[in-house]
Amino acid sequence: MSTEADAKPESFAKDLDVTMEGQESSGKVYRLDEVASHNSEQDLWMAIHNKVYDVTKFTDEHPGGIEVLIDYAGMEATYAFEDVGHSLDARDLLAQYYVGDLHEDDRTEKAATAETEESGCVIV
């Protein structure tokens, strides 16, 4: 006898916006060299998934400490952000620090949703 509890849930991951693509654009576009000029504890920006964030006010609250933020200050930090495995709550929190989009010439491939050629499945 099969019950509703036995049924396999549909993958919730397919609807998650792990790359922040759903973030409404501010209309502002920044070059990576401009982001790079914001590389100090008092003025700390970084690019994650082709979005630019001013995380200056978050440095004291970051659970991983300020050091890791300083290590990626003014840089493209998508790999580091994903490597840690940030929660959905962390991704939601990041949205409040959004200042604009990375210029299309400086954008990186979306590694977190890259489709593998062999399997055709989406990696999240």
Side-chain angles (χ1 to χ4, degrees):
M1 175 183 220
S2 179
T3 66
E4 191 173 312
D6 294 332
K8 293 195 179 211
E10 284 190 41
S11 174
F12 69 93
K14 68 180 181 180
D15 295 324
L16 296 179
D17 185 16
V18 296
T19 62
M20 284 77 90
E21 279 298 311
Q23 174 101 44
E24 188 174 327
S25 177
S26 70
K28 295 183 180 178
V29 177
Y30 297 94
R31 294 301 305 247
L32 201 50
D33 61 349
E34 185 175 358
V35 174
S37 69
H38 299 272
N39 61 3
S40 71
E41 186 175 337
Q42 296 76 32
D43 182 23
L44 201 159
W45 289 20
M46 58 182 58
I48 300 172
H49 289 295
N50 301 320
K51 304 288 184 187
V52 179
Y53 300 92
D54 177 353
V55 294
T56 308
K57 294 180 181 176
F58 184 64
T59 56
D60 292 334
E61 300 171 40
H62 186 253
I66 190 172
E67 295 80 17
V68 69
L69 295 176
I70 295 293
D71 287 346
Y72 291 94
M75 299 174 62
E76 206 301 314
T78 302
Y79 179 79
F81 182 83
E82 292 301 339
D83 190 46
V84 172
H86 283 91
S87 67
L88 293 176
D89 288 340
R91 293 167 194 279
D92 288 343
L93 183 64
L94 187 61
Q96 69 184 295
Y97 300 102
Y98 170 76
V99 294
D101 297 310
L102 203 56
H103 189 277
E104 64 181 46
D105 290 344
D106 294 328
R107 292 182 179 208
T108 58
E109 187 175 323
K110 302 285 193 261
T113 58
E115 196 171 288
T116 62
E117 289 181 29
E118 298 84 32
S119 68
C121 49
V122 175
I123 302 169
V124 288

